[in-house]
Amino acid sequence: MSEHMKLYEVFIRSRRGLDHKHVGSLHAEDPQQALEYARDIYTRRSEGVSIWVVNSSDITASQEGDCESFYDPHDDKPYRHATHYQLPEAVNNM
Amino acid sequence: MTVSKDTIKRYSIRLGDDAVVLGHRLSEWCSSGPFLEEDLALTNVALDFIGRARMFYGYAAELADDGSTEDTYAYTRDNREFTNLLIHELKNGDFAFTMARQYFIDVYSLAYMEALQNSSDETLAAVADKAVKESRYHLRRSHDWMLRLGDGTEESRSRMQRAVDDLWGYTPEMFEMDALEQELADAGIGVDAAALRDDWEQTVHATLVEATLEVPEGDWAVNGGRQGMHTEALGHMLSDMQFVQRAYPGLQW
């Protein structure tokens, strides 16, 4: 059966005020069923107050091969980190 | 009019029997579900019913005050002492049969527990409060499966139609009232199951039509569960469910 079913990624918000976090994936026929299975599989121990399910195929992901062009160029730009700057004494805790 | 503790105890055992028998039947799907996600979801439902049985049995044991525990009722009584409605004990059959039964019971159970929330007996009302929330979710699932399988492929539709036909005659028993339940209903403690019938029929008919299934004729009906007269399926189920306590009486683990 599962070979006909779509894969969904499951995101759960554990408490109000926090962000939804990716917890895993599951198979289901449609989003509504995915939501119900997410409830049964990922919130058995009261892990959440809100669930998102997203069709896995709707996620566009960066690839391993993208690393060089995506992230390496930041290596020589230390001024983009707050720690690069020396704070005046007066500012103290920022 | 005062109702004796024994009467309430017997009522609580009936409701516990319904729940433990269905809970065990559903647990038989564990590891055999059609796919992993449904396997987990179905066993979650099984656990809800076993939890419900524990609450009803626990209350019965408290009322009995004779050293009985929830386990006494679940594991040491024989076939004829079980008072569940027959529909709960039927073999699981295929997945369509299990879900059709679940749907019929969920519609019933939700209405029943909503009514039991108004019981003047605080413990029964509290158990019902919890059960209502669970049943709402169970119904959402089983209703969904009625539509999926009924209005699905030719194969799924024919299996679902057969399940509905084979189950139909077991549904009238859910609305029968005997002297014990009538006494409790009159006293505001128990539920008047007969009064739930019209709504149940309307709801179920609407779903069957939506699922492109035919409503059975209703030309047969069986009963006897509340009097301990069961189908042959229950004894076999109990021999499995009760094996450990029968082989090693009083075993703790």
Side-chain angles (χ1 to χ4, degrees), chain B residues 65-89:
Chain B
D65 196 24
D66 60 0
S68 296
T69 67
E70 57 192 43
D71 289 345
T72 314
Y73 300 128
Y75 297 118
T76 67
R77 286 178 313 144
D78 207 354
N79 201 356
R80 292 291 295 273
E81 294 166 278
F82 272 76
T83 51
N84 57 283
L85 299 167
L86 300 176
I87 192 169
H88 298 91
E89 74 198 38

Side-chain angles (χ1 to χ4, degrees), chain B residues 8-212:
Chain B
I8 302 174
K9 181 197 86 175
R10 285 162 62 199
Y11 182 60
S12 201
I13 288 177
R14 288 180 177 197
L15 300 180
D17 287 346
D18 285 344
V20 84
V21 170
L22 183 64
H24 188 81
R25 277 296 182 217
L26 290 174
S27 78
E28 291 174 354
W29 275 102
C30 188
S31 83
S32 304
F35 50 96
L36 178 67
E37 288 81 354
E38 181 58 32
D39 195 295
L40 277 161
L42 206 46
T43 39
N44 258 351
V45 178
L47 283 173
D48 285 345
F49 278 97
I50 290 167
R52 196 177 296 186
R54 293 190 60 187
M55 293 188 283
F56 283 123
Y57 281 162
Y59 184 44
E62 189 188 313
L63 291 169
D65 196 24
D66 60 0
S68 296
T69 67
E70 57 192 43
D71 289 345
T72 314
Y73 300 128
Y75 297 118
T76 67
R77 286 178 313 144
D78 207 354
N79 201 356
R80 292 291 295 273
E81 294 166 278
F82 272 76
T83 51
N84 57 283
L85 299 167
L86 300 176
I87 192 169
H88 298 91
E89 74 198 38
L90 302 175
K91 284 188 184 173
N92 285 335
D94 58 12
F95 185 70
F97 187 89
T98 296
M99 289 323 296
R101 166 174 58 194
Q102 196 61 40
Y103 174 68
F104 291 162
I105 291 176
D106 288 341
V107 175
Y108 173 78
S109 195
L110 178 56
Y112 196 99
M113 291 301 159
E114 280 175 348
L116 192 61
Q117 284 181 302
N118 301 319
S119 172
S120 60
D121 183 298
E122 283 177 18
T123 308
L124 291 177
V127 175
D129 278 342
K130 186 163 190 299
V132 161
K133 291 184 200 165
E134 294 167 349
S135 280
R136 277 202 192 107
Y137 186 71
H138 301 163
L139 178 58
R140 181 173 161 156
R141 274 177 37 78
S142 56
H143 175 259
D144 203 45
W145 274 116
M146 291 302 288
L147 301 186
R148 263 178 220 286
L149 297 179
D151 192 10
T153 65
E154 205 176 307
E155 166 90 15
S156 72
R157 187 184 176 283
S158 76
R159 282 175 182 253
M160 188 47 97
Q161 185 66 58
R162 194 184 327 141
V164 167
D165 293 346
D166 289 351
L167 280 159
W168 202 250
Y170 291 96
T171 58
E173 190 191 10
M174 302 194 288
F175 308 101
E176 286 175 10
M177 295 288 285
D178 63 2
L180 183 142
E181 289 185 29
Q182 196 59 56
E183 185 190 346
L184 288 163
D186 292 343
I189 296 171
V191 173
D192 181 3
L196 306 175
R197 185 163 187 166
D198 287 348
D199 281 350
W200 184 89
E201 282 180 352
Q202 263 182 23
T203 306
V204 169
H205 284 207
T207 299
L208 292 179
V209 169
E210 196 185 349
T212 74

